[in-house]
Amino acid sequence: MSRLSRKIKEYNEKLSEEKAQPLTACVKTFGCQMNEHDSEKIKGMLINMGYDIVPDYSVTGSGSIPDVIVFNTCCVRENAEDKIFGQLGAVKGAKRLKPELIVVVLGCMTEQEWVVERIKKSYRHVDLVLGTGNTYRLPEYMAARIFEGRRVIGAESEDSVPEGVPMLRDDKFKAYVTVMYGCDNFCSYCIVPYVRGRERSRKADDIIDEVKALVQSGAKEVMLLGQNVNSYGKGKSGDGTDFASLIRRVARETGIARVRFMTSHPKDLSPELIRAIAEEPAICAQLHLPVQSGSTSELKRMNRKYTREKYLDLVSEVRKMIPDVTLSTDIMIGFPGETEEEFADTLSLLEEVRFDAAFTFIYSKRQGTPAASWTDQVPAEIVNERFARLVETQNRISREKNEALEGKALSVLVEGPSRTDPSRLTGRTEGNKVVNFDVDAAVLNERGLNKPEAGDIVPVKITRAETWSLEGVYYGKNAEDP
Ligand code: SF4
């Protein structure tokens, strides 16, 4: 624990004794897996400073107002930003009721100058604003606020690769592990390179050590995270290990049962990585490969640096080497200048590839990106109509892909009771598909087997397909033969 965290903890312990109640902190997370994982680190730092983590907060005083509220923000879409400003505004009332409340804003949004200016002027109840590169310095800024009463807004961010940051993991059996930070690709619609900085990689040995420690504490699956993991190890921060070698090392040296990764840029997906997925049993046969558009002309305007044909070649190469691969993608609709022909190309690519799942987004204009200044924005009614057609097409394909799994036995990592029916269990396949399943108690009894528990990896026979999930039954060790 750092010296400053210890100092804050001692101070908070005294305060908590006087109040005869624990000091609490709430972290609200917006956005992607990178942010979810950053929030695990923020919670770890807050625990070291003596706060109990609570899942939610009240702004009216009817429930309890915590001592710290942290907003870990996202700026990939305009509606996420609007929602965050709305929640920030609502916290003003809580601060009036509890003036000692510390309000912290950090994450991608705060890397934009206009956001910092707006918070400075219009959200004066916010105490601390940090960027994505200096989140790990939270104890320093908390100390400035607690011991010096200072408001620190817009602290300078850094292109850092922090190690040894404490974490409160949300899940014991599945864990995120960041392998690299930042992005150098500058797709013309995307704000990420401006707010997450240039690409920089962690040392392979540090990653291996982290996964080994996770396995020791019970983890069964890790997801290696980076904005573009295929660039791992490139550039001056790398230690000479490329991503294919890193993931092989994770699969072979750590004892982890399952490893997967996110996200992979199609222009950089190497044959070595495809081979590693095909050959290493611990690497899940699953690939998220964002295509964004099926039209070469639109891809060019997006600055994606591959063509439709190149993407299709890549998919057939992947399927040749990993026949049972589960493929997913991201698709954007309504990119500036998108014509009906370009949209038709995207629809036909969906039909040709037949992804298991596609995450579909409507283009959102992001200040500071090249595409934001283009004048040929697509009218909202056309975008909405295309979006509906896209979703309808993909939903049909996803269901058909799931139906093809009916009758098969799939290996499932059990997550616990199903949220909608606690008498059933839920888990995920190697392809990251959700399976809700029953346990045949009579058969288990007969075979002297126990009911599976969270963290077990068990065979489940798929009995029915839904669009976004599967239904199944666990019979025992050999699900093919109930
Ligand atoms: S690869 Fe493109 S879309 Fe992905 S984070 Fe980088 S700039 Fe954004």
Side-chain angles (χ1 to χ4, degrees), residues 183-187 189-193 227-228 265 292 304:
C183 178
D184 287 354
N185 285 318
F186 292 94
C187 299
Y189 51 83
C190 183
I191 191 86
V192 168
Q227 236 74 49
N228 176 21
H265 195 302
Q292 305 298 358
R304 293 289 290 174

Side-chain angles (χ1 to χ4, degrees), residues 123-268:
Y123 297 81
R124 300 196 59 80
H125 57 290
V126 172
D127 297 276
L128 305 174
V129 174
L130 281 82
T132 53
N134 58 4
T135 303
Y136 75 102
R137 290 170 68 180
L138 181 63
E140 233 172 282
Y141 296 103
M142 288 288 286
R145 169 63 182 78
I146 293 169
F147 301 122
E148 300 162 31
R150 272 204 289 136
R151 188 176 177 232
V152 189
I153 309 289
E156 193 125 316
S157 202
E158 312 148 22
D159 274 357
S160 54
V161 185
E163 291 295 340
V165 180
M167 278 181 232
L168 174 68
R169 301 271 184 186
D170 289 338
D171 194 311
K172 183 177 174 205
F173 304 108
K174 292 198 310 180
Y176 293 130
V177 174
T178 305
V179 300
M180 63 176 297
Y181 301 90
C183 178
D184 287 354
N185 285 318
F186 292 94
C187 299
S188 58
Y189 51 83
C190 183
I191 191 86
V192 168
Y194 307 91
V195 296
R196 287 261 174 194
R198 297 288 65 73
E199 287 173 357
R200 59 235 184 250
S201 303
R202 292 178 65 197
K203 304 267 175 281
D205 286 344
D206 291 333
I207 295 164
I208 298 293
D209 288 347
E210 183 176 338
V211 179
K212 279 183 181 164
L214 283 165
V215 171
Q216 290 261 307
S217 55
K220 296 290 171 63
E221 178 179 309
V222 290
M223 178 174 290
L224 305 183
L225 284 182
Q227 236 74 49
N228 176 21
V229 292
N230 299 326
S231 293
Y232 172 80
K234 294 181 183 159
K236 54 181 185 310
S237 66
D239 65 0
T241 312
D242 63 11
F243 186 65
S245 313
L246 173 77
I247 199 165
R248 276 199 198 263
R249 281 192 64 189
V250 172
R252 288 178 185 177
E253 295 176 26
T254 63
I256 194 78
R258 282 179 172 185
V259 50
R260 56 178 96 242
F261 57 92
M262 191 146 181
T263 288
S264 212
H265 195 302
K267 81 175 166 54
D268 299 318

Side-chain angles (χ1 to χ4, degrees), residues 264-308:
S264 212
H265 195 302
K267 81 175 166 54
D268 299 318
L269 181 68
S270 68
E272 291 75 28
L273 179 56
I274 303 174
R275 210 170 302 122
I277 305 171
E279 289 173 1
E280 298 292 338
I283 305 179
C284 294
Q286 179 238 330
L287 191 58
H288 182 70
L289 201 57
V291 65
Q292 305 298 358
S293 164
S295 150
T296 296
S297 51
E298 194 170 27
L299 286 168
K300 190 155 195 284
R301 294 200 306 283
M302 288 177 167
N303 195 29
R304 293 289 290 174
K305 300 190 180 87
Y306 53 85
T307 60
R308 173 192 175 94

Side-chain angles (χ1 to χ4, degrees), residues 426-445:
T426 190
R428 284 195 184 247
T429 66
E430 209 185 308
N432 219 8
K433 296 193 179 198
V434 173
V435 185
N436 295 305
F437 63 100
D438 298 303
V439 175
D440 191 324
V443 177
L444 290 194
N445 243 346

Side-chain angles (χ1 to χ4, degrees), residues 27-95:
V27 180
K28 284 283 161 195
T29 312
F30 301 83
C32 64
Q33 287 96 340
M34 291 292 267
N35 268 18
E36 279 175 34
H37 186 38
D38 284 347
S39 286
E40 294 182 328
K41 297 176 190 168
I42 294 160
K43 288 177 201 165
M45 287 187 276
L46 288 165
I47 288 171
N48 275 5
M49 288 183 253
Y51 296 99
D52 284 0
I53 304 298
V54 291
D56 220 335
Y57 62 83
S58 150
V59 289
T60 60
S62 56
S64 65
I65 300 171
D67 297 279
V68 181
I69 300 176
V70 179
F71 292 92
N72 186 11
T73 63
C74 168
C75 62
V76 169
R77 265 169 281 284
E78 193 177 0
N79 56 6
E81 282 184 345
D82 292 345
K83 196 171 156 193
I84 293 162
F85 275 124
Q87 293 199 12
L88 259 187
V91 162
K92 205 173 190 171
K95 185 98 170 185

